[in-house]
Amino acid sequence: MEIGALIFLIVAIGVGIYILFIFIPVGLWFSALLSGVRISLIQLVFMRWRRVPPNVIVRSMIEAHKAGLHITRDDLEAHHLAGGHVEQVTHALVSASKANIELPFRMATAIDLAGRDVYEAVQMSVIPKVINTPPVTAVSKDGIQLIAKARVTLRANIRQLVGGAGEETVLARVGEGIVSSIGSSASHKTVLENPDFISRVVLEKGLDAGTAFEILSIDIADIDIGKNIGAVLQTDQAEADLKIAQARAEERRAMAVATEQENKALAQAMRAKVIEAEAEVPLAMAEAFRSGHLGVMDYYRMKNIEADTSMRENIAKPSPKDKKK
């Protein structure tokens, strides 16, 4: 029984030590002590209760202490509880210190809480970033279309990271500057001969104002010639004028056809009136016979005149043989 109780006691002690090491990070405390970071075991236990990972806080404190930075435990815990990335902020502070970049702890945490990668921003301040613009299409004053591509070298502006515009705004402004500079050129040949003219004009406009970056240089990588927009516009205008002229000519033709039809209808109406008048002649002659104003000899004389007139008209007409000749 004594041996069984001893074995049980040893197992209980082992389990107790194991549970103790789980809830009390003695190894982490010992590592901090060897690195020169003073932190108590009670604070490490309290971190677990506050749902703060002790290993993240302790590692960050050790890194900052080795780099000669003074960052308190309370500051790191507060930033973690606010939803920040403690390790990223610590890396950024150490990198900024080594690169002689002024970056206070509050500014670093503010940048991190704003959703930007503060460590990447510090790296970008040391090593500028090159971004390529999409093809920018512009037209010079002589009507020639040019397609330009540029490389923009950016350096992060630490003080403007909070509230400053991003890369999309810089690209949009650079594209606008390229379009403006090409559009103000008298000839596309001038742009092709001196592409650095675009860079100078764009840089003079201060396009990085209000952004989180500083534009170091704008280099024109490629310029291609596109369409002759002036000729295309003139061709389109000529085609439009032609269609307008054709429409007006068709309108005049339609009016002429309508007038012709109206004249034909008027001629038919006049013929109807003539026929109507000719139909009244026999009636008038009959009335003249009845009233005694017209005699038989007068009637025959009129018929002879009509026959003589008809004969003269037939003689005056050419024969069909003469028409064939």
Side-chain angles (χ1 to χ4, degrees), residues 206-219:
L207 302 179
D208 52 4
T211 66
F213 304 97
E214 178 185 355
I215 298 178
L216 299 180
S217 66
I218 299 175
D219 303 311

Side-chain angles (χ1 to χ4, degrees), residues 270-320:
M270 297 303 294
R271 289 195 189 96
K273 290 182 179 180
V274 171
I275 294 172
E276 183 180 359
E278 289 179 349
E280 293 180 356
V281 171
L283 298 176
M285 292 178 63
E287 182 63 27
F289 276 121
R290 283 194 296 269
S291 61
H293 294 292
L294 183 64
V296 176
M297 297 303 297
D298 295 328
Y299 177 74
Y300 281 118
R301 189 178 299 111
M302 184 184 64
K303 288 293 184 180
N304 289 332
I305 293 173
E306 289 180 356
D308 185 58
T309 302
S310 178
M311 181 183 65
R312 292 175 181 273
E313 290 178 353
N314 291 330
I315 293 173
K317 289 181 181 179
S319 62

Side-chain angles (χ1 to χ4, degrees), residues 192-261:
L192 294 176
E193 292 173 357
N194 301 300
D196 58 333
F197 167 76
I198 301 176
S199 303
R200 292 197 304 269
V201 172
V202 175
L203 283 174
E204 290 173 358
K205 293 185 176 183
L207 302 179
D208 52 4
T211 66
F213 304 97
E214 178 185 355
I215 298 178
L216 299 180
S217 66
I218 299 175
D219 303 311
I220 304 301
D222 185 26
I223 298 181
D224 295 328
I225 298 178
K227 298 179 181 179
N228 190 337
I229 302 299
V232 172
L233 292 177
Q234 291 178 358
T235 302
D236 294 341
Q237 184 63 41
E239 291 180 355
D241 294 340
L242 177 61
K243 291 180 180 179
I244 293 173
Q246 290 176 347
R248 290 177 177 174
E250 182 65 22
E251 181 182 1
R252 289 194 297 269
R253 189 191 68 81
M255 291 180 64
V257 171
T259 303
E260 181 183 3
Q261 295 298 326

Side-chain angles (χ1 to χ4, degrees), residues 89 92-93 96-97 101-108 111 118 122 158:
V89 171
L93 290 172
S97 176
I101 298 175
E102 183 180 357
L103 180 63
F105 178 78
R106 288 188 177 181
M107 182 180 293
I111 294 171
V118 61
V122 173
I158 300 294

Side-chain angles (χ1 to χ4, degrees), residues 91-165:
H91 295 336
L93 290 172
V94 173
S95 298
S97 176
K98 298 301 181 181
N100 294 324
I101 298 175
E102 183 180 357
L103 180 63
F105 178 78
R106 288 188 177 181
M107 182 180 293
T109 55
I111 294 171
D112 183 60
L113 293 176
R116 296 185 182 273
D117 192 337
V118 61
Y119 179 67
E120 182 183 354
V122 173
Q123 294 295 319
M124 193 172 175
S125 297
V126 178
I127 303 175
K129 181 180 180 181
V130 178
I131 57 176
N132 295 319
T133 63
V136 179
T137 302
V139 181
S140 58
K141 289 184 178 180
D142 59 355
I144 303 300
Q145 183 186 64
L146 296 177
I147 304 172
K149 296 179 183 178
R151 291 190 179 96
V152 185
T153 304
L154 299 177
R155 181 171 60 193
N157 189 350
I158 300 294
R159 298 187 178 276
Q160 292 290 335
L161 283 176
V162 179

